[in-house]
């Protein structure tokens, strides 16, 4: 088997995990919930194995490098980060109800990597500019941040759906399978936690990128579109955090900010590579 | 008029202003990612038309990140940061140094949200057990009623309340580093042909003036290494630094591995073929009387038809033709002569070595296209400030997001039913974390064989 087959299988495993999380949320069968967690863990193992295999494949081709060098590889790593970060919060908060809104992002990232024809999936040798230890640090920090923002966005959608339902019925639903037994404040809190966690890692990602740029080009900041968009994303989240601390923005405003932030993340990650040109164009 | 009443001060310390500035920076920054920056005026005319180009020129949208209005916005951002911090910072020590004993004992023990345990042991005994079990460095105990009623207090990470200010400071340090870099540093570029040296570089900031380096940089060779599939693997230049003609430093630079001398760093940035010029490496191997070999060599940079003389061995040569097809990349035809034999003519391919046996020894010729290496030259004395600021920022973000000021009061009261132990916790953020911490204290108490009356 080669790595792309592993990634294909991982896509289906993540889809299975999403299915189990949603089923669990609807019918509250404990075994289905436990199954969802186990499937996610298996998905993570396959995802990791695929990345490991791709690393070995690159060495066999004589151009060995860590599989974090282009759009395809980063999408695979993005999916892995989302699944791992999600499992950690499931463990910390001891609830499986968040899975239905977090794991779809892992599935989508993986499915897009596996199915898209917009970018090359071949293992290519590293360009001279990419041959640096900062590559690993930069990509890992950025994608942990992106993963946290994706989950925060998913939970924000969850929050908005819940609060919309509540306001519609203007009372707490007592037997509304999908949405009950998890207070919306709790969802907002976890979403906010993911936001600040992501903010820390995004900052680290921008900083490692700056240090790398300085060692390759002699300038740590050049207002390249990718850099600028990462800063715009940083400002969006900084705005949200300050609005919450100082203006006491409520759950739904913060939820919209989280969604806006994630749109900015997607543009930084994806849009810049395909719509704008700049130093980062090899990302595609 | 006090500072607080000053309109201007209030304007700069308002959080609304901070939010407006952050939002404006985010929104205006988008413009420069859509309109290509720093292109020639013809580029904009062609792409956007005359009207838009005039508009761009007026608002400096073609170089917006360096424009007056964008810099003003960044400057306002800094002023606002400083003002907000000065305005709010003094309240932090007040909160940290608040009197923690100023708490009503009766309401503390009765409040439903505080968890409570009961023990058969005396309160002094309980206090001693608590002291050992909690393993805290600082544990303040106040005896409210001799031997029977105690109040225990401890806190964690009070200083974490400064976290946000560490982040604000870090942003200012980064800005300061940037300003230092742009005032006392430079960004420049220079092309150095193989076999030549330079003592200047050309500024890339507006003026494009020639900047003296204060020393010489010599480029011995430039080379491109390729992968099997033909894509470039590495660009490398063999550089050396010369001061008063003396070689001080030698380094092979690659794209991610620059050379630094006296605060000026040389980065491998680009390269150029020099049309019609060639780099020729010539060596002579001679058998010496003792049976051993001696070897001398020299690298020539030369043009077609030019006569080159190697005085040391009294040899001369010239490139007669550079190619058959007129592209100039070989096979090269070389005419060669030394004192021993008649002159000869031979052919050598690009990047190939050819040996020529003569009476006095064996000559090796290696010939290739002559390159010039493109060096990005940067001096940035502010970069360390920027890095310190970045480190501070990560530290500050960690402290302000993941550390919280936790306070815990434990009331120990000996009553007729037994010794009542009540726990009250308080935090400035992360209620979940506090709850988990309180649960840990509770399980410690259960380990000490106390019975829960109510749990938080």
């Amino acid at each position: 088997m080669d790595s792309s087959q592993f990634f294909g299988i991982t896509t289906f495993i993540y889809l299975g995990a999403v299915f189990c999380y949603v089923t669990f949320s609807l019918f509250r069968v404990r075994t289905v919930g436990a199954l969802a967690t186990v499937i996610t863990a298996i998905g993570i193992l396959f995802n990791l194995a695929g990345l490991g295999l791709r690393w070995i494949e690159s060495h066999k081709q004589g151009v060995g490098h860590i599989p974090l060098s282009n759009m395809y590889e980063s999408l695979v790593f993005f999916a892995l980060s989302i699944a791992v970060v999600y499992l950690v919060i499931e463990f910390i908060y001891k609830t499986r109800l968040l899975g239905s809104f977090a794991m779809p992002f892992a599935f989508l990232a993986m499915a897009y990597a596996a199915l898209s024809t917009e970018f090359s999936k071949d293992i290519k040798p590293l360009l001279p500019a990419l041959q640096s230890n900062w590559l690993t640090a930069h990509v890992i920090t950025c994608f942990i941040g992106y993963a946290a923002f994706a989950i925060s966005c998913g939970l924000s959608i969850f929050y908005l759906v819940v609060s919309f339902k509540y306001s519609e019925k203007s009372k707490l639903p007592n037997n509304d399978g999908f949405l009950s037994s998890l207070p919306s404040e709790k969802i907002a809190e976890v979403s906010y936690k993911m936001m600040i966690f992501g903010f820390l890692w995004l900052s680290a990602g921008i900083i490692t990128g700056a240090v790398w740029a300085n060692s390759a080009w002699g300038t740590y900041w050049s207002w390249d579109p990718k850099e600028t968009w990462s800063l715009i994303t940083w400002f969006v989240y900084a705005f949200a955090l300050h609005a919450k601390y100082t203006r006491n923005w409520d759950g739904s405003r913060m939820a919209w900010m989280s969604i806006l932030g994630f749109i900015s993340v997607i543009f930084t990650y994806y849009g810049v590579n395909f719509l704008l040109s700049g130093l980062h164009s090899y990302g595609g | 008029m006090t500072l607080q009443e000053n309109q201007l001060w209030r304007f700069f310390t308002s959080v609304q202003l901070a939010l407006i500035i952050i939002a404006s920076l985010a929104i205006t920054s988008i413009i420069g990612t859509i309109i290509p920056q720093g292109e020639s005026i013809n580029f904009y005319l062609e792409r956007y038309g005359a009207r838009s180009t005039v508009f761009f020129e007026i608002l400096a949208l073609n170089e917006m990140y360096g424009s007056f209005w964008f810099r003003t916005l960044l400057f306002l951002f800094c002023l606002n940061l400083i003002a907000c911090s000065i305005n709010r910072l003094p309240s932090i020590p007040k909160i940290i140094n608040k009197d923690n004993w100023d708490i009503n004992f009766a309401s503390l023990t009765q409040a439903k949200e505080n968890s409570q345990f009961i023990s058969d042991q005396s309160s002094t005994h309980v206090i001693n057990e608590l002291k050992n079990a909690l393993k805290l460095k600082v544990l303040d105990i106040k005896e409210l009623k001799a031997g029977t009623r105690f109040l225990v207090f401890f806190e964690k990470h009070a200083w974490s309340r400064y976290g946000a200010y560490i982040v604000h400071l870090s942003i200012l340090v980064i800005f300061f580093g940037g300003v230092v870099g742009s005032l006392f540093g430079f960004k420049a570029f220079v092309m150095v042909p193989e076999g030549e040296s330079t003592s200047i570089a050309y500024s890339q900031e507006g003026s494009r003036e020639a900047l003296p380096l204060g020393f010489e940089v010599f480029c011995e060779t430039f080379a491109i290494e390729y992968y099997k599939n033909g894509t470039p693997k590495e660009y490398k230049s063999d550089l050396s630094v010369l001061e008063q003609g003396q070689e001080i430093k030698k380094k092979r630079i690659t794209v991610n591995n620059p050379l630094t001398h006296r605060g000026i760093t040389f980065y491998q940035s680009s390269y150029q073929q020099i049309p019609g010029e060639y780099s020729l490496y010539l060596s002579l191997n001679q058998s010496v009387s003792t049976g051993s070999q001696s070897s001398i060599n020299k690298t020539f940079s030369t043009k077609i038809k030019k006569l080159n003389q190697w005085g040391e061995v009294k040899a001369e040569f010239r490139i007669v033709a550079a190619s058959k097809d007129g592209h100039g990349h070989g096979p090269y035809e070389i005419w060669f002569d030394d004192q021993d034999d008649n002159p000869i003519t031979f052919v050598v391919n690009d990047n190939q070595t050819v040996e020529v046996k003569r009476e006095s020894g064996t000559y090796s010729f290696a010939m290739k296209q002559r390159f010039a290496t493109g060096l990005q030259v940067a001096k940035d004395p502010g970069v360390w400030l920027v890095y310190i600021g970045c480190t501070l920022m990560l530290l500050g973000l960690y402290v302000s997001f993941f550390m919280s000021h936790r306070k815990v009061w434990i009331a120990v009261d000996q009553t007729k039913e037994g010794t009542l132990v009540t726990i009250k916790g308080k935090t400035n953020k992360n209620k979940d974390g506090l709850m988990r911490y309180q649960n840990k204290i509770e399980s410690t108490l259960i380990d000490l064989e106390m019975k829960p009356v109510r749990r938080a």
Side-chain angles (χ1 to χ4, degrees):
Chain A
M1 276 215 296
D2 65 4
S3 58
S4 65
Q5 281 169 301
F6 265 90
F7 296 142
I9 295 168
T10 311
T11 311
F12 284 103
I13 298 177
Y14 284 155
L15 179 63
V18 172
F19 178 76
C20 287
Y21 278 116
V22 173
T23 311
F24 169 73
S25 298
L26 288 172
F27 304 109
R28 296 304 154 82
V29 185
R30 284 188 72 90
T31 44
V32 176
L35 188 66
T37 306
V38 171
I39 291 175
T40 305
I42 293 171
I44 288 170
L45 290 180
F46 268 79
N47 202 335
L48 263 177
L51 278 171
L53 198 58
R54 196 173 162 92
W55 202 339
I56 294 167
E57 285 164 5
S58 76
H59 275 281
K60 278 185 184 157
Q61 291 184 19
V63 292
H65 59 80
I66 193 166
L68 298 172
S69 69
N70 57 25
M71 191 58 156
Y72 177 65
E73 291 169 343
S74 69
L75 271 169
V76 170
F77 185 73
F78 187 30
L80 177 72
S81 312
I82 294 169
V84 170
V85 173
Y86 167 70
L87 262 202
V88 171
I89 61 166
E90 181 181 301
F91 179 75
I92 293 176
Y93 291 96
K94 308 261 179 288
T95 173
R96 295 193 166 107
L97 294 167
L98 304 174
S100 327
F101 285 86
M103 282 307 288
F105 287 98
F107 163 69
L108 286 174
M110 208 67 206
Y112 186 60
L115 300 174
S116 172
T117 52
E118 280 174 43
F119 39 79
S120 163
K121 293 171 191 175
D122 299 338
I123 294 174
K124 288 214 185 97
L126 283 184
L127 298 174
L130 293 181
Q131 289 168 29
S132 166
N133 291 330
W134 287 106
L135 170 70
T136 313
H138 177 56
V139 176
I140 289 178
T141 46
C142 285
F143 280 91
I144 293 175
Y146 290 179
F149 290 142
I151 295 172
S152 173
C153 171
L155 300 185
S156 296
I157 295 168
F158 191 7
Y159 176 90
L160 291 173
V161 172
V162 173
S163 42
F164 178 70
K165 279 225 141 178
Y166 280 6
S167 64
E168 218 174 36
K169 293 180 182 170
S170 66
K171 64 175 178 83
L172 289 175
N174 46 10
N175 194 20
D176 187 354
F178 198 69
L179 301 173
S180 65
S181 83
L182 197 64
S184 59
E185 302 81 60
K186 191 81 200 167
I187 306 168
E189 195 200 310
V190 182
S191 170
Y192 167 72
K193 285 272 169 65
M194 283 290 101
M195 199 190 264
I196 56 176
F197 182 73
F199 191 72
L200 177 64
W201 285 99
L202 174 67
S203 308
I206 295 174
I207 289 168
T208 51
V211 177
W212 183 10
N214 194 42
S215 73
W217 298 313
T219 170
Y220 49 83
W221 196 263
S222 52
W223 295 103
D224 158 77
K226 193 83 159 183
E227 285 173 352
T228 309
W229 269 98
S230 70
L231 186 68
I232 292 166
T233 305
W234 195 86
F235 279 133
V236 173
Y237 287 107
F239 182 95
L241 299 180
H242 284 86
K244 184 181 161 80
Y245 285 138
T246 59
R247 316 285 308 163
N248 284 319
W249 272 25
D250 63 357
S252 62
R253 279 180 174 187
M254 287 299 283
W256 285 113
M257 282 310 293
S258 174
I259 293 168
L260 180 69
F262 191 60
I263 292 170
S264 181
V265 166
I266 292 296
F267 198 82
T268 308
Y269 174 27
Y270 183 84
V272 172
N273 288 13
F274 291 98
L275 303 176
L276 307 170
S277 62
L279 294 171
H280 236 277
S281 47
Y282 41 73
Chain B
M1 191 168 75
T2 68
L3 206 53
Q4 297 302 323
E5 286 158 4
N6 184 314
Q7 286 287 323
L8 194 68
W9 179 252
R10 278 177 45 186
F11 173 73
F12 275 113
T13 55
S14 76
V15 184
Q16 274 112 310
L17 181 69
L19 291 174
I20 291 166
I21 293 174
I22 292 173
S24 322
L25 280 171
I27 294 163
T28 53
S29 292
I30 297 174
I31 303 168
T33 69
I34 295 166
I35 301 170
Q37 299 290 292
E39 301 284 346
S40 71
I41 190 139
N42 287 329
F43 172 87
Y44 298 101
L45 279 172
E46 208 167 289
R47 189 155 168 177
Y48 300 98
R51 227 172 223 229
S52 304
T53 305
V54 171
F55 180 68
F56 290 176
E57 285 283 319
I58 292 168
L59 292 178
L61 297 185
N62 52 340
E63 297 216 15
M64 66 153 277
Y65 301 112
S67 70
F68 178 73
W69 62 266
F70 194 74
R71 291 204 168 167
T72 307
L73 205 53
L74 288 174
F75 183 66
L76 272 178
F77 182 55
C78 287
L79 277 186
N80 180 240
L81 257 177
I82 296 169
C84 282
S85 299
I86 291 175
N87 204 32
R88 285 167 183 78
L89 206 52
S91 67
I92 304 290
K94 274 186 210 152
I95 297 170
I96 290 176
N97 298 324
K98 211 174 132 186
D99 181 11
N100 295 303
W101 299 119
D102 185 19
I103 194 162
N104 187 318
F105 191 86
S107 62
L108 172 70
T109 55
Q110 278 152 25
K112 287 252 165 19
E113 72 269 14
N114 297 339
S115 55
Q116 201 162 51
F117 289 77
I118 195 158
S119 167
D120 305 334
Q121 325 263 211
S122 73
S123 41
T124 40
H125 186 84
V126 167
I127 284 284
N128 274 329
E129 280 192 318
L130 268 178
K131 244 189 196 168
N132 296 328
L134 291 171
K135 287 180 194 136
L136 285 157
K137 278 187 202 126
V138 190
L139 188 71
D140 287 332
I141 301 169
K142 200 172 181 187
E143 200 167 354
L144 299 176
K145 204 186 267 178
T148 61
R149 184 175 284 180
F150 297 89
L151 188 58
V152 178
F153 172 79
F154 57 90
E155 62 185 336
K156 262 182 144 179
H157 308 318
W159 60 274
S160 73
R161 286 180 183 270
Y162 288 109
Y165 301 95
I166 299 175
V167 179
H168 291 176
L169 177 71
S170 78
I171 293 171
L172 294 172
V173 172
I174 291 170
F175 270 116
F176 184 60
V179 171
V180 168
S182 68
L183 287 182
F184 303 108
F186 60 79
K187 301 261 183 284
F189 183 82
V190 66
M191 294 295 298
V192 189
E194 283 177 306
E196 285 181 28
S197 63
T198 183
S199 54
I200 52 161
Y202 299 92
S203 170
Q204 287 180 308
E205 286 139 351
S207 58
R208 319 258 154 195
E209 62 183 320
L211 303 166
L213 298 172
F215 53 86
E216 260 183 279
V217 175
F218 175 75
C219 171
E220 196 183 328
T221 55
F222 167 83
I224 311 170
E225 204 181 309
Y226 292 94
Y227 289 107
K228 273 184 221 147
N229 70 357
T231 55
K233 182 178 185 180
E234 196 59 273
Y235 304 106
K236 45 195 175 188
S237 302
D238 286 318
L239 300 185
S240 39
V241 173
L242 304 158
E243 279 190 11
Q244 281 107 40
Q246 290 285 308
E247 184 180 292
I248 292 183
K249 232 180 235 181
K250 208 172 169 160
K251 190 176 177 183
R252 167 168 294 177
I253 65 161
T254 57
V255 175
N256 268 293
N257 188 11
L259 161 82
T260 304
H261 183 64
R262 292 218 229 149
I264 302 176
T265 309
F266 298 84
Y267 300 84
Q268 180 67 61
S269 165
S270 64
Y271 69 94
Q272 226 174 44
Q273 294 187 345
I274 307 173
E277 292 193 24
Y278 303 91
S279 185
L280 208 144
Y281 172 86
L282 192 54
S283 78
L284 172 62
N285 268 297
Q286 282 174 307
S287 297
V288 193
S289 53
T290 50
S292 63
Q293 295 269 315
S294 87
S295 171
I296 46 171
N297 63 66
K298 195 174 176 181
T299 304
F300 295 85
S301 297
T302 185
K303 285 180 186 169
I304 192 157
K305 304 249 157 82
K306 183 186 160 193
L307 184 70
N308 305 278
Q309 281 167 322
W310 189 3
E312 237 173 315
V313 300
K314 300 208 172 61
E316 53 185 22
F317 65 91
R318 70 157 55 96
I319 305 165
V320 181
S323 64
K324 285 179 184 138
D325 58 8
H327 282 105
H329 295 296
Y332 309 109
E333 204 183 320
I334 296 168
W335 173 90
F336 176 79
D337 189 20
D338 62 359
Q339 291 175 311
D340 311 329
D341 294 310
N342 294 325
I344 57 158
T345 305
F346 59 92
V347 168
V348 56
N349 284 319
D350 195 65
N351 266 319
Q352 200 196 32
T353 307
V354 160
E355 288 193 344
V356 178
K357 283 200 165 53
R358 307 286 283 186
E359 218 168 86
S360 53
T362 307
Y363 289 90
S364 315
F365 280 85
M367 214 180 128
K368 67 178 193 67
Q369 163 72 50
R370 191 181 180 206
F371 285 100
T373 185
L375 301 174
Q376 186 79 39
V377 186
K379 181 183 173 186
D380 190 348
V383 76
W384 292 107
L385 282 165
V386 174
Y387 287 175
I388 289 168
C390 290
T391 314
L392 259 183
M393 175 181 284
L394 292 180
L395 196 89
L397 286 173
Y398 179 80
V399 170
S400 55
F401 291 153
F402 300 106
M403 291 175 101
S404 50
H405 183 194
R406 282 176 195 164
K407 294 180 174 188
V408 177
W409 289 266
I410 302 178
V412 180
D413 192 13
Q414 204 168 313
T415 63
K416 274 175 232 151
E417 293 82 31
T419 303
L420 277 176
V421 178
T422 316
I423 305 164
K424 175 192 167 67
K426 203 175 164 188
T427 184
N428 58 334
K429 59 195 167 213
N430 195 5
K431 298 256 170 5
D432 277 330
L434 178 71
M435 194 63 90
R436 281 195 289 273
Y437 186 64
Q438 271 179 271
N439 290 341
K440 234 165 79 184
I441 299 173
E442 286 171 6
S443 48
T444 314
L445 296 184
I446 291 169
D447 288 344
L448 295 172
E449 288 173 358
M450 295 185 195
K451 285 179 214 73
V453 178
R454 56 172 186 261
R455 305 279 296 264

